[in-house]
Amino acid sequence: MPSFDVVNEIDLQEVDNAVNITKKTLATRYDFRGSDTEVNLDRKQLHITISTEDSMRMQAVQDTLSSNLIKRKLSPKVLEYKEPEGTSKGGLRVTVVLKQGIDKDMAKKITKIIKEQKLKVQTQIQDEQVRVTAKKIDDLQEVISMLKEQDLDIPLQFVNMKS
């Protein structure tokens, strides 16, 4: 039977590229000259740490990072900004968690959305992905196009298409 998997995967190399481009951009910006701004990616912990002097610069760093992710064909939905905290030098630090995988609640929501379409497909939650199977490949293509139209909190990729 034809099937595919709905996943949320992050290409860490592209995230690393976006962080590096953000660092270069901030180094050349006039409003960041002489400021103590850092952007660091921790690949093992899957988070980015941003530290700067004030909230205006923090917002500029976040906007630059998001636009660089978009240029690298990654969705800014993978970024989950935590609450800003103060640093010992009087600045701000924000931890940005990279969301990878589909948690149980989101998998149940995706399954519910698919079942509401009343198509002849079966869904199965497997760890951090949702497998969709059907007798006809056309039904699977309908599910893919319908899920692309949904506004979910995470970006979705469709992999392992088997016919």
Side-chain angles (χ1 to χ4, degrees), residues 116-139:
E116 287 174 352
Q117 296 300 310
K118 305 249 191 271
L119 295 170
K120 293 185 178 181
V121 297
Q122 292 84 36
T123 58
Q124 189 177 22
I125 300 172
Q126 299 176 340
D127 290 333
E128 294 186 339
Q129 66 183 17
V130 178
R131 173 153 296 160
V132 182
T133 57
K135 290 185 178 179
K136 295 184 205 169
I137 204 159
D138 294 339
D139 292 339

mmCIF file of all heavy atoms in Angstrom, residues 116-139:
data_model
loop_
_atom_site.group_PDB
_atom_site.id
_atom_site.type_symbol
_atom_site.label_atom_id
_atom_site.label_comp_id
_atom_site.label_asym_id
_atom_site.label_seq_id
_atom_site.Cartn_x
_atom_site.Cartn_y
_atom_site.Cartn_z
ATOM 1 N N GLU A 116 -10.685 14.292 9.632
ATOM 2 C CA GLU A 116 -11.822 15.176 9.333
ATOM 3 C C GLU A 116 -12.069 15.316 7.841
ATOM 4 O O GLU A 116 -13.170 15.705 7.438
ATOM 5 C CB GLU A 116 -11.588 16.560 9.943
ATOM 6 C CG GLU A 116 -11.743 16.596 11.444
ATOM 7 C CD GLU A 116 -11.376 17.945 12.044
ATOM 8 O OE1 GLU A 116 -10.857 18.821 11.312
ATOM 9 O OE2 GLU A 116 -11.609 18.118 13.250
ATOM 10 N N GLN A 117 -11.085 14.994 7.017
ATOM 11 C CA GLN A 117 -11.234 15.101 5.565
ATOM 12 C C GLN A 117 -12.054 13.955 4.979
ATOM 13 O O GLN A 117 -12.422 13.996 3.820
ATOM 14 C CB GLN A 117 -9.862 15.161 4.888
ATOM 15 C CG GLN A 117 -9.069 16.382 5.255
ATOM 16 C CD GLN A 117 -9.771 17.662 4.869
ATOM 17 O OE1 GLN A 117 -10.215 17.811 3.737
ATOM 18 N NE2 GLN A 117 -9.885 18.575 5.811
ATOM 19 N N LYS A 118 -12.288 12.916 5.777
ATOM 20 C CA LYS A 118 -13.096 11.761 5.371
ATOM 21 C C LYS A 118 -12.544 11.083 4.117
ATOM 22 O O LYS A 118 -13.292 10.609 3.264
ATOM 23 C CB LYS A 118 -14.550 12.164 5.153
ATOM 24 C CG LYS A 118 -15.201 12.858 6.327
ATOM 25 C CD LYS A 118 -16.249 11.997 6.943
ATOM 26 C CE LYS A 118 -17.086 12.756 7.937
ATOM 27 N NZ LYS A 118 -16.606 12.775 9.265
ATOM 28 N N LEU A 119 -11.219 11.054 3.990
ATOM 29 C CA LEU A 119 -10.582 10.325 2.903
ATOM 30 C C LEU A 119 -10.311 8.900 3.365
ATOM 31 O O LEU A 119 -10.264 8.624 4.563
ATOM 32 C CB LEU A 119 -9.258 11.002 2.515
ATOM 33 C CG LEU A 119 -9.366 12.399 1.930
ATOM 34 C CD1 LEU A 119 -7.990 13.024 1.824
ATOM 35 C CD2 LEU A 119 -10.028 12.358 0.570
ATOM 36 N N LYS A 120 -10.113 8.007 2.418
ATOM 37 C CA LYS A 120 -9.841 6.610 2.769
ATOM 38 C C LYS A 120 -8.346 6.428 3.016
ATOM 39 O O LYS A 120 -7.631 5.834 2.210
ATOM 40 C CB LYS A 120 -10.330 5.686 1.660
ATOM 41 C CG LYS A 120 -11.837 5.686 1.522
ATOM 42 C CD LYS A 120 -12.303 4.686 0.503
ATOM 43 C CE LYS A 120 -13.812 4.684 0.428
ATOM 44 N NZ LYS A 120 -14.307 3.710 -0.525
ATOM 45 N N VAL A 121 -7.894 6.977 4.147
ATOM 46 C CA VAL A 121 -6.491 6.861 4.542
ATOM 47 C C VAL A 121 -6.431 6.441 6.003
ATOM 48 O O VAL A 121 -7.366 6.663 6.764
ATOM 49 C CB VAL A 121 -5.715 8.193 4.352
ATOM 50 C CG1 VAL A 121 -5.661 8.598 2.893
ATOM 51 C CG2 VAL A 121 -6.309 9.295 5.184
ATOM 52 N N GLN A 122 -5.310 5.808 6.352
ATOM 53 C CA GLN A 122 -5.075 5.435 7.750
ATOM 54 C C GLN A 122 -3.854 6.218 8.234
ATOM 55 O O GLN A 122 -2.898 6.396 7.494
ATOM 56 C CB GLN A 122 -4.784 3.926 7.897
ATOM 57 C CG GLN A 122 -5.965 3.031 7.604
ATOM 58 C CD GLN A 122 -6.129 2.754 6.121
ATOM 59 O OE1 GLN A 122 -5.148 2.624 5.414
ATOM 60 N NE2 GLN A 122 -7.363 2.693 5.662
ATOM 61 N N THR A 123 -3.915 6.644 9.490
ATOM 62 C CA THR A 123 -2.776 7.339 10.082
ATOM 63 C C THR A 123 -2.264 6.530 11.261
ATOM 64 O O THR A 123 -3.024 5.821 11.913
ATOM 65 C CB THR A 123 -3.165 8.745 10.569
ATOM 66 O OG1 THR A 123 -4.219 8.625 11.522
ATOM 67 C CG2 THR A 123 -3.593 9.617 9.423
ATOM 68 N N GLN A 124 -0.974 6.658 11.483
ATOM 69 C CA GLN A 124 -0.340 5.914 12.560
ATOM 70 C C GLN A 124 0.773 6.789 13.143
ATOM 71 O O GLN A 124 1.642 7.263 12.412
ATOM 72 C CB GLN A 124 0.237 4.623 11.979
ATOM 73 C CG GLN A 124 0.732 3.646 12.981
ATOM 74 C CD GLN A 124 1.212 2.388 12.281
ATOM 75 O OE1 GLN A 124 1.550 2.392 11.105
ATOM 76 N NE2 GLN A 124 1.242 1.291 13.018
ATOM 77 N N ILE A 125 0.735 7.017 14.455
ATOM 78 C CA ILE A 125 1.753 7.826 15.113
ATOM 79 C C ILE A 125 2.924 6.924 15.476
ATOM 80 O O ILE A 125 2.759 5.922 16.165
ATOM 81 C CB ILE A 125 1.177 8.513 16.370
ATOM 82 C CG1 ILE A 125 0.014 9.432 15.991
ATOM 83 C CG2 ILE A 125 2.267 9.279 17.101
ATOM 84 C CD1 ILE A 125 -0.732 10.003 17.163
ATOM 85 N N GLN A 126 4.117 7.279 14.975
ATOM 86 C CA GLN A 126 5.326 6.497 15.237
ATOM 87 C C GLN A 126 6.396 7.436 15.774
ATOM 88 O O GLN A 126 6.941 8.238 15.026
ATOM 89 C CB GLN A 126 5.835 5.844 13.953
ATOM 90 C CG GLN A 126 4.849 4.886 13.332
ATOM 91 C CD GLN A 126 5.355 4.335 12.015
ATOM 92 O OE1 GLN A 126 6.235 4.909 11.394
ATOM 93 N NE2 GLN A 126 4.782 3.228 11.597
ATOM 94 N N ASP A 127 6.714 7.310 17.054
ATOM 95 C CA ASP A 127 7.707 8.159 17.714
ATOM 96 C C ASP A 127 7.442 9.635 17.418
ATOM 97 O O ASP A 127 6.502 10.199 17.921
ATOM 98 C CB ASP A 127 9.134 7.762 17.329
ATOM 99 C CG ASP A 127 9.533 6.422 17.926
ATOM 100 O OD1 ASP A 127 8.970 6.076 18.982
ATOM 101 O OD2 ASP A 127 10.382 5.738 17.341
ATOM 102 N N GLU A 128 8.307 10.254 16.589
ATOM 103 C CA GLU A 128 8.171 11.681 16.290
ATOM 104 C C GLU A 128 7.747 11.927 14.849
ATOM 105 O O GLU A 128 8.139 12.918 14.237
ATOM 106 C CB GLU A 128 9.485 12.397 16.589
ATOM 107 C CG GLU A 128 9.820 12.380 18.057
ATOM 108 C CD GLU A 128 11.049 13.206 18.378
ATOM 109 O OE1 GLU A 128 11.870 13.460 17.472
ATOM 110 O OE2 GLU A 128 11.171 13.596 19.539
ATOM 111 N N GLN A 129 6.932 11.012 14.303
ATOM 112 C CA GLN A 129 6.432 11.180 12.949
ATOM 113 C C GLN A 129 5.049 10.551 12.840
ATOM 114 O O GLN A 129 4.631 9.791 13.704
ATOM 115 C CB GLN A 129 7.388 10.566 11.936
ATOM 116 C CG GLN A 129 7.509 9.061 12.031
ATOM 117 C CD GLN A 129 8.535 8.513 11.057
ATOM 118 O OE1 GLN A 129 9.358 9.244 10.543
ATOM 119 N NE2 GLN A 129 8.470 7.223 10.797
ATOM 120 N N VAL A 130 4.351 10.888 11.758
ATOM 121 C CA VAL A 130 3.028 10.328 11.493
ATOM 122 C C VAL A 130 3.088 9.650 10.137
ATOM 123 O O VAL A 130 3.455 10.277 9.135
ATOM 124 C CB VAL A 130 1.939 11.432 11.491
ATOM 125 C CG1 VAL A 130 0.581 10.845 11.158
ATOM 126 C CG2 VAL A 130 1.896 12.155 12.824
ATOM 127 N N ARG A 131 2.739 8.361 10.094
ATOM 128 C CA ARG A 131 2.716 7.624 8.837
ATOM 129 C C ARG A 131 1.279 7.625 8.310
ATOM 130 O O ARG A 131 0.335 7.357 9.047
ATOM 131 C CB ARG A 131 3.197 6.196 9.026
ATOM 132 C CG ARG A 131 3.005 5.377 7.765
ATOM 133 C CD ARG A 131 3.943 4.258 7.597
ATOM 134 N NE ARG A 131 5.307 4.756 7.471
ATOM 135 C CZ ARG A 131 6.363 4.000 7.691
ATOM 136 N NH1 ARG A 131 6.232 2.749 8.035
ATOM 137 N NH2 ARG A 131 7.573 4.488 7.552
ATOM 138 N N VAL A 132 1.137 7.921 7.027
ATOM 139 C CA VAL A 132 -0.171 7.947 6.376
ATOM 140 C C VAL A 132 -0.146 6.915 5.263
ATOM 141 O O VAL A 132 0.743 6.930 4.414
ATOM 142 C CB VAL A 132 -0.482 9.353 5.802
ATOM 143 C CG1 VAL A 132 -1.859 9.372 5.169
ATOM 144 C CG2 VAL A 132 -0.374 10.410 6.880
ATOM 145 N N THR A 133 -1.120 5.999 5.279
ATOM 146 C CA THR A 133 -1.207 4.972 4.233
ATOM 147 C C THR A 133 -2.591 5.020 3.593
ATOM 148 O O THR A 133 -3.569 5.413 4.229
ATOM 149 C CB THR A 133 -0.975 3.556 4.797
ATOM 150 O OG1 THR A 133 -1.924 3.317 5.838
ATOM 151 C CG2 THR A 133 0.424 3.410 5.336
ATOM 152 N N ALA A 134 -2.649 4.608 2.335
ATOM 153 C CA ALA A 134 -3.919 4.583 1.600
ATOM 154 C C ALA A 134 -3.802 3.583 0.464
ATOM 155 O O ALA A 134 -2.710 3.122 0.124
ATOM 156 C CB ALA A 134 -4.245 5.969 1.051
ATOM 157 N N LYS A 135 -4.944 3.240 -0.121
ATOM 158 C CA LYS A 135 -4.935 2.331 -1.260
ATOM 159 C C LYS A 135 -4.575 3.066 -2.551
ATOM 160 O O LYS A 135 -3.973 2.492 -3.450
ATOM 161 C CB LYS A 135 -6.292 1.654 -1.413
ATOM 162 C CG LYS A 135 -6.576 0.658 -0.314
ATOM 163 C CD LYS A 135 -7.864 -0.081 -0.549
ATOM 164 C CE LYS A 135 -8.069 -1.098 0.571
ATOM 165 N NZ LYS A 135 -9.316 -1.834 0.422
ATOM 166 N N LYS A 136 -4.967 4.346 -2.622
ATOM 167 C CA LYS A 136 -4.693 5.130 -3.830
ATOM 168 C C LYS A 136 -3.685 6.232 -3.506
ATOM 169 O O LYS A 136 -3.781 6.885 -2.477
ATOM 170 C CB LYS A 136 -5.967 5.794 -4.350
ATOM 171 C CG LYS A 136 -7.027 4.846 -4.822
ATOM 172 C CD LYS A 136 -8.164 5.658 -5.395
ATOM 173 C CE LYS A 136 -9.451 4.892 -5.330
ATOM 174 N NZ LYS A 136 -10.597 5.745 -5.630
ATOM 175 N N ILE A 137 -2.766 6.436 -4.409
ATOM 176 C CA ILE A 137 -1.765 7.488 -4.218
ATOM 177 C C ILE A 137 -2.392 8.875 -4.330
ATOM 178 O O ILE A 137 -1.892 9.844 -3.754
ATOM 179 C CB ILE A 137 -0.595 7.298 -5.204
ATOM 180 C CG1 ILE A 137 0.651 7.966 -4.659
ATOM 181 C CG2 ILE A 137 -0.925 7.809 -6.567
ATOM 182 C CD1 ILE A 137 1.924 7.435 -5.242
ATOM 183 N N ASP A 138 -3.519 8.970 -5.052
ATOM 184 C CA ASP A 138 -4.212 10.260 -5.174
ATOM 185 C C ASP A 138 -4.711 10.749 -3.821
ATOM 186 O O ASP A 138 -4.690 11.955 -3.536
ATOM 187 C CB ASP A 138 -5.393 10.150 -6.146
ATOM 188 C CG ASP A 138 -4.938 9.882 -7.577
ATOM 189 O OD1 ASP A 138 -3.768 10.175 -7.884
ATOM 190 O OD2 ASP A 138 -5.762 9.384 -8.368
ATOM 191 N N ASP A 139 -5.180 9.825 -2.975
ATOM 192 C CA ASP A 139 -5.623 10.211 -1.632
ATOM 193 C C ASP A 139 -4.455 10.757 -0.813
ATOM 194 O O ASP A 139 -4.604 11.726 -0.059
ATOM 195 C CB ASP A 139 -6.247 9.012 -0.907
ATOM 196 C CG ASP A 139 -7.575 8.579 -1.532
ATOM 197 O OD1 ASP A 139 -8.200 9.414 -2.227
ATOM 198 O OD2 ASP A 139 -7.966 7.417 -1.322
#
